[in-house]
């Protein structure tokens, strides 16, 4: 294999992976705030990868423009990542952290515009350290705030935390001034790892063990490619990247096929056949029935408060209902409780993922009103 074509091939595979994920999550009608932050990151990363591909063939003034564009994008990515962490933890970052990320982005933008293609070694090292320190801030926020989140969202935050920590050494290996002489740089694999992790958040599958399963699959793909190419490092990298792309294509293709929306499911199903209806949509088929003994440990007044609402989440304003709902949601790794019956009380716990929106709640409310068993 001509090793000279391997870096562009890896960049191209990473770009395709980001574009697949971008198409999969960019749904303006139902987008939650966290989705908009994720879309911004995907777009910035895609633009960075496009610049790297163009840099392979560019020369002269074109190369100058591409280099400036790459450095500007790299300067603003940390701020975009910090905004995503704010959404995942449901809290604003400290003012000093925001100022650090904003001032760093503005500062390196200024350096990039005035220096052009001639980025000095100290400037490159400073950019790498700025990125690493901003990632360290994000990791600190995730670690400190994870205990305040419901179990499902805590698992999503943990998934992102693991991926973020793993990307630090991979991303830093892209800086030749820090790690010279590497045959295979890690920046592309940092992109693939982050896209795999964040794509898991969309459908409630954002748990660390599933990200680890993705990593194992990718490493297995790399190992198979290495065996076929007698242990060549280039083949290993291509095998890992290709496997990651295949996982993303399959994931979003399945999501488009399976998730036609609850309203569509209700319109095409027999709502009088509760069992068939619950088996007709992936969000519902994975739900867990909560009734009888599972509710006996809670005060009757709390359960009565819970039954007053067709759908309950941990954001419900009624404190009595919210407290017992949080406990039940945590116990069943769910985001919403759907009332199936008021007496005796019976609920369906479902996980709509970290990207659930008000539209999701409205659809679940329509479902609850249609299938609820009268008292």
């Amino acid at each position: 294999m001509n090793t000279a074509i391997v870096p562009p091939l890896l960049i191209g595979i990473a770009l395709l992976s980001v574009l697949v994920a971008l198409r999969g999550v960019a749904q303006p009608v139902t987008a939650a705030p966290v989705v908009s932050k994720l879309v911004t990151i995907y777009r910035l990363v895609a633009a960075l990868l496009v610049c790297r591909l163009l840099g392979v063939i560019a020369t002269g003034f074109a190369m100058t423009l591409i280099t400036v564009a790459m450095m500007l994008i790299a300067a603003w990515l940390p701020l975009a990542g910090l905004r995503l962490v704010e959404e995942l933890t449901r809290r604003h970052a400290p003012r000093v952290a925001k100022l650090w990320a904003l001032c760093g982005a503005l500062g390196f933008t200024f350096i990039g515009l005035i220096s052009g293609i001639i980025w000095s070694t100290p400037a490159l090292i400073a950019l790498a350290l700025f990125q690493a320190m901003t990632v360290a801030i994000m990791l600190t926020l995730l670690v400190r705030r994870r205990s305040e989140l419901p179990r499902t969202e805590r698992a999503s935050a943990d998934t992102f935390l693991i991926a973020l920590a793993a990307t630090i050494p991979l991303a830093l290996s892209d800086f030749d001034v820090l790690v010279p002489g590497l045959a295979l740089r890690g920046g592309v694999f940092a992109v693939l790892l982050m896209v795999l992790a964040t794509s898991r958040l969309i459908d409630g599958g954002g748990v660390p063990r599933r990200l680890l399963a993705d990593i194992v699959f990718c490493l297995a793909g790399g190992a198979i490619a290495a065996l076929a190419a007698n242990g060549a490092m280039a083949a290993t990298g291509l095998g890992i990247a290709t496997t990651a792309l295949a996982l993303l294509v399959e994931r979003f293709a399945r999501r488009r096929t399976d998730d036609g929306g609850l309203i569509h499911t209700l319109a095409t199903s027999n709502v009088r056949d509760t069992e068939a209806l619950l088996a007709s949509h992936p969000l519902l088929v994975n739900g867990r029935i909560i009734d009888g003994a599972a509710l006996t440990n809670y005060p009757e007044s709390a359960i009565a408060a819970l039954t007053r609402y067709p759908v309950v989440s941990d954001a419900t304003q009624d404190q009595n209902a919210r407290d017992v709902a949080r406990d039940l949601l945590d116990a069943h790794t769910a985001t919403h409780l759907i009332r199936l019956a008021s007496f005796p009380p019976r609920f369906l716990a479902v996980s709509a993922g970290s990207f659930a929106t008000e539209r999701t709640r409205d659809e679940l409310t329509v479902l609850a009103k249609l299938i609820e068993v009268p008292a």
Side-chain angles (χ1 to χ4, degrees):
M1 176 183 293
N2 182 0
T3 55
I5 68 171
V6 172
L9 280 176
L10 287 173
I11 295 171
I13 293 172
L15 177 59
L16 285 174
S17 299
V18 175
L19 293 177
V20 167
L22 181 59
R23 185 171 185 268
V25 304
Q27 301 175 13
V29 175
T30 60
V34 69
V35 174
S36 65
K37 305 301 185 296
L38 189 56
V39 166
T40 298
I41 292 176
Y42 283 168
R43 287 174 176 169
L44 286 172
V45 172
L48 185 61
L49 293 171
V50 168
C51 288
R52 291 186 61 177
L53 276 178
L54 292 175
V56 175
I57 59 174
T59 57
F61 184 67
M63 187 63 201
T64 301
L65 293 178
I66 290 171
T67 303
V68 172
M70 289 175 61
M71 295 308 170
L72 297 186
I73 295 168
W76 287 93
L77 263 173
L79 179 60
L82 185 63
R83 297 294 304 278
L84 177 60
V85 168
E86 287 184 316
E87 293 296 341
L88 287 174
T89 59
R90 292 189 180 186
R91 288 177 57 190
H92 287 288
R95 184 181 298 272
V96 65
K98 290 183 178 181
L99 287 175
W100 163 264
L102 179 60
C103 291
L106 292 173
F108 285 107
T109 297
F110 178 73
I111 293 173
L113 290 176
I114 65 171
S115 64
I117 195 171
I118 307 172
W119 268 66
S120 64
T121 297
L124 288 171
I125 293 176
L127 177 59
L129 291 177
F130 164 67
Q131 291 180 328
M133 291 181 68
T134 309
V135 170
I137 291 172
M138 290 189 276
L139 291 172
T140 302
L141 293 176
L142 287 167
V143 170
R144 287 182 176 178
R145 296 175 176 178
R146 61 180 300 278
S147 61
E148 303 170 8
L149 299 171
R151 182 178 299 182
T152 302
E153 296 186 32
R154 184 164 65 245
S156 296
D158 287 345
T159 301
F160 186 68
L161 190 155
I162 292 170
L164 196 59
T167 60
I168 295 178
L170 292 173
L172 290 179
S173 71
D174 260 13
F175 290 86
D176 188 63
V177 294
L178 296 178
V179 192
L182 282 183
L184 201 60
R185 300 286 172 180
V188 165
F189 301 105
V191 169
L192 292 170
L193 177 60
M194 189 54 64
V195 174
L196 282 172
T198 51
S199 69
R200 278 289 191 191
L201 306 181
I202 305 299
D203 56 3
V207 293
R209 68 175 182 276
R210 292 183 179 175
L211 174 61
L212 294 177
D214 287 344
I215 294 173
V216 169
F217 271 113
C218 291
L219 293 177
I224 293 171
L227 288 174
N230 296 320
M233 180 67 72
T236 303
L238 288 173
I240 292 173
T242 303
T243 304
L245 174 59
L247 284 173
L248 289 165
V249 170
E250 186 273 338
R251 181 166 304 155
F252 285 107
R254 184 180 69 245
R255 183 169 179 262
R256 286 195 299 272
T257 301
D258 290 345
D259 189 4
L262 278 173
I263 297 300
H264 175 74
T265 298
L266 294 173
T268 57
S269 302
N270 180 6
V271 295
R272 295 183 180 180
D273 187 344
T274 302
E275 291 187 4
L277 179 60
L278 294 181
S280 64
H281 192 279
L283 175 63
L284 306 177
V285 74
N286 294 319
R288 298 183 181 181
I289 300 293
I290 303 175
D291 58 6
L295 300 173
T296 56
N297 293 329
Y298 300 96
E300 290 186 8
S301 59
I303 299 300
L306 201 63
T307 58
R308 286 200 291 267
Y309 304 93
V311 176
V312 181
S313 68
D314 65 349
T316 299
Q317 296 300 312
D318 186 324
Q319 183 175 347
N320 289 331
R322 182 176 66 244
D323 290 343
V324 66
R326 284 178 173 173
D327 196 56
L328 290 170
L329 292 171
D330 280 352
H332 295 85
T333 319
T335 58
H336 296 80
L337 295 177
I338 302 172
R339 185 181 66 200
L340 298 180
S342 297
F343 186 82
R346 191 166 183 253
F347 305 93
L348 179 71
V350 299
S351 176
S354 302
F355 293 71
T357 64
E358 284 300 317
R359 174 171 172 172
T360 304
R361 183 184 179 90
D362 291 342
E363 291 179 342
L364 293 175
T365 301
V366 171
L367 169 71
K369 291 180 177 180
L370 286 174
I371 68 175
E372 182 178 2
V373 177

